[in-house]
Amino acid sequence: MASSTAATTGTAHVPANDAAGATAATTARATLVLDPAFSVGPVRRRTFGAFVEHLGRCVYTGIHDPGHPTADEDGFRGDVIDLTRELGVSTVRYPGGNFVSGYRWEDGIGPVDQRPARLDLAWHSTEPNTVGVDEFMRWARKAGVEPMMAVNLGTRGVQEAVDLLEYCNIASGTALSDLRRAHGTEEPHGVRMWCLGNEMDGPWQIGHKTAEEYGRLATETARAMRMVDAGLELVACGSSSTSMPTFGEWERIVLTEAYEDVDLISAHAYYWEDDGDLASFLASAVNMDRFIDDVVATADAVRAARKLTKRIHISFDEWNVWYLNASASRAPEKDWPVAPALLEDHYSVADAVVVGGLLISLLRHTDRVHSASLAQLVNVIAPIMTEPGGRVWRQTTFHPFALTSRHAAGEVLRVKLDSPTHETARFGETPLVDAVATHDADSGEVVVFAVNRHTTEPVTVEVDVRAFGALDVTEALTLSSDDPYARASADDDTSLAPRPNETATAEGGAVRIELPPVSWSVLRLAPAGA
Ligand code: AHR
């Protein structure tokens, strides 16, 4: 099936930035029609992946903090594991990120006191190698997540990738598998998903390559890795953002070379509010929709040109809100600290609404987006924050992720959305409301995820669910605040959590809910009387 976006038509134009005090004569109205027949594809658990990179305090004092009161025998914080589970994370990409392009995985195995400390050029830090592949796999098992590994195609190549695969996935009887066993891990790690490098299109990347150079290296690495295990799922690097000058051509050239040898191509995107333009920021999912559609079109064009049948899918393995220039992204030049506080963005309600909107985009492309990773999990542009040795807390962005992961089930539905629009500086005329729905045929539950992107006005959404028979509202939760820039903290990470939305009603096949300005909502519906 071709990649899908919600069918959206505009009914009325609403000014983007009505003066806060202006009262609209009537609340703007959007309509949403749902039908179980219109499935885009299954809800994929891998849509709810995250990312742990050796960067800042993500690993050290993030997932790993041996002196912490909740630390286990391996030094992993129990409170972080608990919140990772509450967040509903499925896969975790590791160990980078830019970090992986200079990483020697062998540094992170064996007795910890014999491991070398190394310069981490990507983040101008010192990597102590206290945590390596075996520790991460233990953490992943404890957190109940599937590991997704990246190999270094920046400073290294085919041999080191195959060596790491042998160390991880071969049961026994070879030098590297027996080395793993000697290090205390009897059973193979069994990693299925592997990223062939990271952001190799970016000039900032150690070992940055042209599309032709990378396409060859990715192909040769993939072929060798498949000689070890034909069943791996391999991800080629796509573009680091749609604003890369090579975007589009990069995908075409890499896939022309690697199409038969890889399964997925990556996409990375970060969003932030620029110059006080909240309306454009809230519409960030418009960019994500176009990004996905363009990569799908390019991959399918290569497929046609090469006369192939299989389809390439997307691993959206870095996405989030990231204020690139607001928080430190490099340690001071004179210093090479261990685990400095880098990229510790502090998220607002508006940021959480954008995160919820981006999840809507990922879900409605479930036919082609087969995996995604929120970047990152802890401390570094993260939904979970820690104090070294101290408290753990949820950022505002934690909630839409956790609730979408918890309640999206069964099939993703193609919805017919008719929303008023407003003008945004970045995307032109944009629907105020965006939404997606899922339907679980087993339980009968229908769940709608929706955002109101108006900066000051509410919108009433009327949901036509006649195709399902009568439904009741079982739960309606909305994340919003009078102050869209309000933030959670270690002292209070609950006041800004989604609250029951008392406006939700259901009568026969008609459901109605009012969405406040700058809000994200989840609306759960079940067969009446069930
Ligand atoms: O997630 C932070 C960084 O963003 C990653 O290391 C890199 O891949 C991307 O540029």
Side-chain angles (χ1 to χ4, degrees):
M1 193 187 293
S3 121
S4 63
T5 44
T8 312
T9 47
T11 46
H13 184 91
V14 180
N17 282 306
D18 278 352
T23 40
T26 52
T27 306
R29 202 176 63 100
T31 61
L32 196 58
V33 184
L34 308 184
D35 191 310
F38 300 136
S39 163
V40 184
V43 174
R44 297 176 197 281
R45 290 314 306 162
R46 281 180 175 170
T47 303
F48 305 104
F51 180 25
V52 165
E53 177 168 3
H54 285 252
L55 192 185
R57 299 196 307 111
C58 187
V59 172
Y60 305 113
T61 74
I63 64 169
H64 189 260
D65 195 354
H68 192 271
T70 70
D72 63 14
E73 66 288 358
D74 293 315
F76 295 124
R77 285 181 65 146
D79 55 356
V80 172
I81 287 178
D82 289 347
L83 280 198
T84 301
R85 286 181 177 276
E86 186 183 319
L87 189 59
V89 173
S90 54
T91 51
V92 175
R93 184 169 173 251
Y94 175 86
N98 296 341
F99 170 80
V100 79
S101 295
Y103 184 48
R104 292 174 249 205
W105 68 267
E106 305 89 331
D107 289 345
I109 59 172
V112 172
D113 58 359
Q114 290 168 31
R115 296 182 191 178
R118 299 270 189 200
L119 297 182
D120 165 13
L121 304 184
W123 302 108
H124 200 80
S125 307
T126 296
E127 171 54 51
N129 284 305
T130 314
V131 170
V133 62
D134 291 319
E135 287 82 16
F136 175 72
M137 296 298 165
R138 273 205 288 283
W139 178 83
R141 241 190 340 273
K142 290 175 179 182
V145 302
E146 178 192 358
M148 175 181 180
M149 285 294 287
V151 298
N152 174 357
L153 293 189
T155 58
R156 309 189 98 188
V158 180
Q159 186 62 60
E160 293 88 349
V162 169
D163 285 350
L164 176 58
L165 177 59
E166 177 186 329
Y167 184 87
C168 285
N169 282 11
I170 296 295
S172 65
T174 67
L176 292 171
S177 59
D178 287 340
L179 187 61
R180 183 200 68 242
R181 294 170 66 225
H183 291 155
T185 310
E186 186 64 32
E187 294 300 319
H189 295 310
V191 182
R192 307 313 305 159
M193 281 191 94
W194 293 79
C195 301
L196 303 170
N198 175 70
E199 292 190 348
M200 299 309 300
D201 63 324
W204 60 86
Q205 201 67 211
I206 304 167
H208 163 62
K209 294 181 173 41
T210 65
E212 288 82 0
E213 289 165 347
Y214 172 70
R216 284 297 307 150
L217 180 57
T219 303
E220 294 309 333
T221 308
R223 285 182 185 158
M225 290 177 77
R226 285 202 201 283
M227 288 177 193
V228 178
D229 182 345
L232 301 177
E233 294 169 72
L234 301 178
V235 186
C237 290
S239 291
S240 305
S241 84
T242 51
S243 62
M244 296 300 291
T246 48
F247 174 56
E249 265 304 88
W250 174 275
E251 281 77 1
R252 187 187 67 74
I253 295 167
V254 168
L255 286 178
T256 298
E257 187 69 38
Y259 200 97
E260 287 152 294
D261 300 294
V262 301
D263 306 288
L264 303 108
I265 187 152
S266 70
H268 291 181
Y270 293 100
Y271 301 95
W272 61 94
E273 184 183 331
D274 216 5
D275 258 350
D277 180 5
L278 180 57
S280 296
F281 175 52
L282 291 170
S284 295
V286 173
N287 173 273
M288 184 179 254
D289 286 338
R290 290 179 190 164
F291 195 168
I292 295 168
D293 291 344
D294 288 350
V295 174
V296 165
T298 307
D300 288 352
V302 174
R303 171 178 173 268
R306 301 263 332 265
K307 300 181 175 48
L308 300 168
T309 50
K310 92 167 185 194
R311 288 198 193 272
I312 295 288
H313 296 108
I314 294 176
S315 170
F316 217 117
D317 48 40
E318 285 187 34
W319 68 271
N320 204 347
V321 171
W322 177 10
Y323 290 85
L324 275 118
N325 300 321
S327 52
S329 60
R330 267 175 77 85
E333 290 296 334
K334 62 176 174 47
D335 219 0
W336 292 84
V338 175
L342 301 180
L343 281 57
E344 299 206 359
D345 286 21
H346 192 183
Y347 292 120
S348 68
V349 167
D351 297 329
V353 172
V354 170
V355 164
L358 295 172
L359 279 164
I360 288 172
S361 171
L362 291 170
L363 273 177
R364 76 166 144 253
H365 289 95
T366 193
D367 54 338
R368 296 306 288 269
V369 176
H370 282 202
S371 179
S373 303
L374 176 71
Q376 299 193 3
L377 180 68
V378 190
N379 291 330
V380 173
I381 45 174
I384 300 171
M385 300 299 288
T386 67
E387 296 170 339
R391 296 174 292 182
V392 68
W393 56 281
R394 302 164 188 80
Q395 296 237 42
T396 53
T397 54
F398 183 98
H399 305 291
F401 190 102
L403 287 167
T404 307
S405 176
R406 190 174 316 150
H407 296 304
E411 298 289 310
V412 179
L413 301 183
R414 185 186 308 276
V415 302
K416 183 175 181 305
L417 175 61
D418 195 350
S419 167
T421 60
H422 68 169
E423 198 62 25
T424 63
R426 197 161 157 222
F427 303 110
E429 194 172 345
T430 307
L432 290 180
V433 171
D434 194 14
V436 72
T438 63
H439 174 227
D440 184 349
D442 294 336
S443 66
E445 186 172 60
V446 176
V447 184
V448 179
F449 303 94
V451 285
N452 174 8
R453 309 193 279 210
H454 200 284
T455 55
T456 56
E457 297 293 333
V459 179
T460 296
V461 181
E462 288 172 2
V463 193
D464 178 342
V465 292
R466 279 173 298 175
F468 295 90
L471 297 180
D472 284 339
V473 175
T474 52
E475 190 176 29
L477 297 172
T478 293
L479 182 148
S480 71
S481 164
D482 292 343
D483 174 8
Y485 298 105
R487 292 168 163 79
S489 68
D491 292 331
D492 177 7
D493 72 347
T494 53
S495 296
L496 293 173
R499 301 269 188 90
N501 184 325
E502 308 294 353
T503 68
T505 58
E507 221 180 291
V511 175
R512 176 190 289 253
I513 184 169
E514 185 174 303
L515 307 180
V518 195
S519 67
W520 173 89
S521 299
V522 54
L523 175 63
R524 298 175 61 202
L525 307 165

